[in-house]
Amino acid sequence: MAGGTVDGLVVAETARLRLRRLTEGDAAFMLRLLNEPGFIANIGDKGVRTLDDAVTNLRTGPLDSYAVHGFGMWRMERRADGLPVGICGLLRRNGMDDVEIGYALLAEYEGQGYTSEAALACRDLALTVFGLPRIVAIVTPGNIGSERILQKLGLTDQGLREVFPGKPPVAFYA
């Protein structure tokens, strides 16, 4: 993995992908991604329905996380043409001791190895650049594709945990 500085837009490059900080200019892409059926089924409905909603989501999510933690969710784009295919990054959630790795992909790019490639780069950033002792992940039970990616990262299933009060338990990986 070739890596840029985390204070610039590009945070990492892999053989096929560039991970870069999201900006408000990514609102249309995020509007589309957050409303993908797979995103809603496996991550949740964020209630983002307009470009203004997407800008607000970017400001209160990734952009705020960059300012507070120095990391967050990053745009996954193909190096060859700059086309956004998804997001991948590091999340610090309230109530969780560890930093979580997360990702989401536009449906037409599933099954091409992009998420695994980006997630490995994020894991390496977490451990080397950010000096985190470990990363964790949560997955909707039965999301076999995500479970395989987490296993490639070296994470193991720790069983079901209630992470979000009032919501069904999720599979916890560490």
Side-chain angles (χ1 to χ4, degrees):
M1 169 189 78
T5 60
V6 292
D7 54 351
L9 279 179
V10 174
V11 296
E13 289 186 337
T14 67
R16 300 179 298 158
L17 297 171
R18 180 178 301 112
L19 297 176
R20 74 156 175 80
R21 287 184 176 211
L22 291 156
T23 68
E24 289 183 19
D26 291 310
F29 160 65
M30 289 300 290
L31 176 63
R32 181 173 172 221
L33 180 67
L34 297 177
N35 285 288
E36 286 270 316
F39 188 99
I40 292 170
N42 291 303
I43 299 170
D45 187 347
K46 303 294 184 186
V48 174
R49 301 292 182 260
T50 67
L51 282 176
D52 286 342
D53 292 344
V55 169
T56 299
N57 178 275
L58 283 162
R59 287 178 183 161
T60 60
L63 303 182
D64 183 58
S65 184
Y66 304 153
V68 173
H69 305 295
F71 55 76
M73 296 302 289
W74 297 303
R75 172 178 152 141
M76 275 193 284
E77 60 186 35
R78 294 192 306 205
R79 286 179 62 178
D81 57 12
L83 185 74
V85 298
I87 57 175
C88 188
L90 305 170
L91 303 163
R92 173 139 339 251
R93 291 187 196 268
N94 290 336
M96 286 185 72
D97 294 332
D98 295 298
V99 172
E100 176 188 349
I101 190 164
Y103 41 80
L105 199 66
L106 294 171
E108 63 264 33
Y109 302 108
E110 291 176 2
Q112 298 176 43
Y114 289 133
T115 305
S116 293
E117 192 172 319
L120 286 165
C122 286
R123 179 203 61 194
D124 292 347
L125 284 169
L127 301 175
T128 59
V129 174
F130 296 108
L132 300 172
R134 74 177 192 159
I135 56 169
V136 300
I138 57 173
V139 178
T140 301
N143 185 341
I144 304 300
S146 275
E147 291 173 350
R148 285 189 189 125
I149 290 166
L150 297 175
Q151 291 164 0
K152 287 179 187 177
L153 297 178
L155 302 180
T156 58
D157 187 349
Q158 306 294 304
L160 296 178
R161 293 198 184 165
E162 185 179 307
V163 175
F164 307 107
K167 302 278 185 179
V170 293
F172 186 83
Y173 279 74

